[in-house]
Amino acid sequence: EIVLTQSPGTLSLSPGERATLSCRASQSVSSNYLLWYQQKPGQAPRLLIYGASSRATGIPDRFSGSGSGTDFTLTISRLEPEDFAVYYCQQYGSPPYTFGQGTKLEIK
Amino acid sequence: EVQLVESGGGLVQPGGSLRLSCAASGFTFSAYGMNWVRQAPGRGLEWVSYISSSRSTIYYADSVKGRFTISRDNAKNSLYLQMNSLRAEDTAVYYCARRNIGFDIWGQGTMVTVSS
């Protein structure tokens, strides 16, 4: 099983700042199968990034993904008020299709 | 509109059974693999099971293997999860999600509570 470890657990920033979220895998993940989601309270997750670096439909360009192998990063260039949420990475290249434990992005 | 709608959740006693359904609309259901993902209260996301478009490939998380069964009816545009021998730790919101380039479409979820 591929274990995904996200850091930090909580990130406190202000609107307008840059956010950098990390996802580290216990073994190599094909970049094609690395995803990032945003989840707000009471809502289903929303796909942000697929293939480690491609934005999903309708996702603003302030969201970007990068990385390969075992280290992946989600960057939000300038935080908007609506970006404060929980973010998850996921791999679906090798079953079980594991998620990271999440990073909570909160307003400072 | 592309949409997934789950149903069938509720309160069940430990050891009991429940069958969840996920109704798809707005896309060609038979062309896509489908997943179940769950989220315990206040916890993170946990992938539960996957079924390919033709039903030829099925995967389960170890935590549910032998107790849960995923299935689909492409003629009815529906995905199912039969859950047997339910435990307190199965309490969660259960989401169905389409596998495309990523899990791109999710339902709103259905709550399953396992308690006596």
Side-chain angles (χ1 to χ4, degrees), chain B residues 29-80:
Chain B
F29 178 72
S30 60
Y32 294 90
M34 297 294 296
N35 297 269
W36 287 99
V37 176
R38 68 185 181 182
Q39 187 169 35
R43 306 293 297 274
L45 300 168
E46 180 187 15
W47 172 81
V48 172
S49 185
Y50 165 80
I51 185 168
S52 63
S53 57
S54 63
R55 300 189 293 268
S56 60
T57 300
I58 288 176
Y59 301 126
Y60 296 100
D62 285 346
S63 57
V64 307
K65 202 172 294 183
R67 300 187 299 122
F68 289 12
T69 302
I70 192 171
S71 63
R72 64 189 296 161
D73 185 335
N74 287 340
K76 294 184 177 180
N77 293 330
S78 292
L79 174 72
Y80 305 102

Side-chain angles (χ1 to χ4, degrees), chain A residues 38-99:
Chain A
Q38 176 193 70
Q39 187 180 33
K40 296 179 179 179
Q43 297 184 15
R46 177 173 72 144
L47 180 66
L48 297 176
I49 301 290
Y50 64 91
S53 60
S54 297
R55 277 186 299 278
T57 302
I59 302 303
D61 60 7
R62 64 180 181 272
F63 290 91
S64 63
S66 64
S68 64
T70 60
D71 286 291
F72 299 90
T73 300
L74 174 70
T75 301
I76 311 171
S77 58
R78 275 182 64 87
L79 286 165
E80 298 287 343
E82 62 267 27
D83 298 337
F84 292 91
V86 180
Y87 292 83
Y88 295 95
C89 60
Q90 184 202 9
Q91 68 81 24
Y92 70 113
S94 174
Y97 298 152
T98 45
F99 288 88

